[in-house]
Amino acid sequence: MIKLALSALISLMFASAAITVQAADAGSAPNKKLVLKKRHAVRVAAADASDRMVKRVIKVKGKRKVVYQRVLAAAPAVPTMGDLAGLNSTHDPLSLASNVALVLDQANSEVLFEKNSNVALPIASITKMMTGLIVVEAKQDMDEILTVTDEDVDREKFSSSRLKVGTQMTRANMLHIALMSSENRAASALGRNYPGGRPAFVEAMNAKARELGMSDTHYVDSNGLSKMNVASARDLAKLAMAAYQQPMLRQFSTDPKATVELSNGRPMQFGTTNHLVASPDWAIGLQKTGFINEAGRCLMMQAVIEGRSVIMVFLDSKGKQSRTADAGRMRKWLEALRPANLVGGGSSTGAYSTGM
């Protein structure tokens, strides 16, 4: 099924190539051509794509021209591993877009809401939180200059990066942008510059997972680009609580933006992948987002809601803003569940559990 979906997606990418049409304005030269680039293409649902061209009137140098644009059928969604496991058939009272969700009280680990929380799924860049925990606990020199090499280039997902091969910055800055901006080459460089190299780093990640009781977790890289990095929501809650004990991980993961200086003195601006950290309506102490096709949109977060510190995990969410929208729905549910004047730990009422 995945192969068929990917084949269809590739075919549509070739269909989006630029086209050339004859200009139809009476005042234009008879042989003058107008090139329409693919960024101007009109995208419609596949069911409406029988008419392959759409007529439009545009202005070129102040003159009206009639042009015809190719209609692009919407690409079929690539099923996630959660979809293939049938998790999308699980319903919940909040109509979450995430196939997996877990919320627990940070003070006593009481589960307040769960949905398929024991299912191990790809976790994408949430992997980088374990990467950060290994780096910090290893007490490596945070001022050491690391260099991005060809080994850090993503040849699995071919993701983009602002860090060119040869870029140099401190280990602290590499960790900062790996957590805040989910910079893949930075996370790769962190793993590669561990004693024993990347294999030893990955082994340290898996050893730490075992130490934390993350029995459904397995890592194969330090950046999360592989679908073989898997964990359950319950495991990620354990990781979040362990990572929260490290002030550097809290700070780096929740900075809305930062200016990072390269070793040559040139500054680079980076921003967060989670817009909620900049919102005055949220009090977030730790967070990490993630996305690859097999994992969907993912979010792990510590936040204070109605005086209660909670850990939230959302995996396999559909839609670019869906994971943060799910966090918003969960927050409203918790606010209604817990009286505003009840602060700290203690039993809750109305906790919800469903799924495999």
Side-chain angles (χ1 to χ4, degrees):
M1 182 182 296
I2 292 178
K3 289 183 178 179
L4 291 174
L6 287 175
S7 298
L9 180 61
I10 293 171
S11 298
L12 287 169
M13 289 173 62
F14 282 107
S16 66
I19 62 173
T20 302
V21 299
Q22 182 71 35
D25 183 73
S28 62
N31 294 322
K32 191 174 181 180
K33 302 280 186 176
L34 178 67
V35 177
L36 300 182
K37 296 182 179 179
K38 68 178 182 179
R39 66 173 178 268
H40 298 303
V42 179
R43 188 173 295 276
V44 298
D48 299 326
S50 56
D51 296 324
R52 303 303 299 171
M53 304 297 290
V54 174
K55 180 180 178 180
R56 287 190 59 196
V57 178
I58 65 173
K59 280 190 176 183
V60 177
K61 295 182 178 180
K63 295 182 178 181
R64 296 175 68 253
K65 293 185 181 294
V66 177
V67 297
Y68 294 85
Q69 290 183 307
R70 185 180 301 279
V71 174
L72 301 180
V78 178
T80 63
M81 298 298 286
D83 290 338
L84 294 175
L87 301 187
N88 52 351
S89 64
T90 304
H91 301 290
D92 65 82
L94 303 184
S95 298
L96 298 176
S98 303
N99 279 339
V100 172
L102 175 68
V103 180
L104 54 80
D105 189 311
Q106 188 178 9
N108 55 21
S109 298
E110 178 188 2
V111 174
L112 306 176
F113 186 105
E114 63 177 337
K115 173 184 177 182
N116 296 321
S117 63
N118 289 317
V119 182
L121 291 175
I123 58 173
S125 285
I126 289 182
T127 295
K128 294 183 177 75
M129 189 57 72
M130 178 62 86
T131 296
L133 186 59
I134 297 302
V135 170
V136 170
E137 290 193 344
K139 301 187 185 306
Q140 291 184 274
D141 181 3
M142 301 306 287
D143 294 323
E144 181 183 354
I145 300 297
L146 308 185
T147 303
V148 174
T149 72
D150 189 65
E151 292 183 63
D152 302 316
V153 176
D154 171 24
R155 292 185 172 85
E156 180 164 358
K157 293 292 191 292
F158 301 99
S159 58
S160 61
S161 173
R162 295 177 59 200
L163 302 184
K164 297 179 180 180
V165 172
T167 299
Q168 293 184 316
M169 64 177 66
T170 64
R171 178 176 278 108
N173 284 338
M174 289 282 193
L175 179 57
H176 197 169
I177 62 177
L179 294 176
M180 178 183 67
S181 302
S182 211
E183 187 26 89
N184 290 317
R185 292 184 185 179
S188 176
L190 289 169
R192 188 171 47 78
N193 284 277
Y194 185 80
R198 186 174 290 128
F201 190 85
V202 172
E203 175 52 36
M205 295 171 74
N206 287 309
K208 187 64 180 181
R210 292 190 295 270
E211 178 188 326
L212 294 175
M214 300 169 63
S215 57
D216 299 317
T217 298
H218 182 68
Y219 297 105
V220 299
D221 64 36
S222 59
N223 51 31
L225 287 168
S226 173
K227 66 181 179 181
M228 302 304 290
N229 290 293
V230 299
S232 65
R234 282 185 175 257
D235 279 4
L236 292 178
K238 295 174 183 178
L239 172 60
M241 287 194 284
Y244 187 79
Q245 303 306 312
Q246 299 293 339
M248 183 175 290
L249 301 184
R250 295 202 304 269
Q251 177 193 336
F252 284 177
S253 69
T254 58
D255 276 343
K257 58 184 178 180
T259 300
V260 175
E261 189 173 283
L262 307 187
S263 61
N264 61 8
R266 184 169 68 89
M268 291 185 72
Q269 297 283 341
F270 288 89
T272 183
T273 57
N274 182 356
H275 68 89
L276 294 183
V277 301
S279 171
D281 298 328
W282 283 87
I284 298 173
L286 181 93
Q287 70 82 35
K288 188 69 197 76
T289 61
F291 171 75
I292 56 174
N293 286 331
E294 297 90 341
R297 305 281 174 176
C298 305
L299 174 64
M300 177 180 73
M301 193 164 68
Q302 185 275 353
V304 178
I305 299 175
E306 294 293 350
R308 167 185 275 179
S309 296
V310 299
I311 302 294
M312 293 183 173
V313 180
F314 301 97
L315 302 180
D316 196 6
S317 188
K318 308 304 187 296
K320 190 171 183 179
Q321 303 299 330
S322 57
R323 57 194 169 189
T324 52
D326 279 355
R329 292 188 187 94
M330 189 64 66
R331 176 182 169 176
K332 290 181 179 179
W333 184 79
L334 290 171
E335 288 172 343
L337 177 72
R338 186 175 176 80
N341 61 352
L342 186 57
V343 178
S347 299
S348 64
T349 57
Y352 178 83
S353 176
T354 191
M356 297 182 179

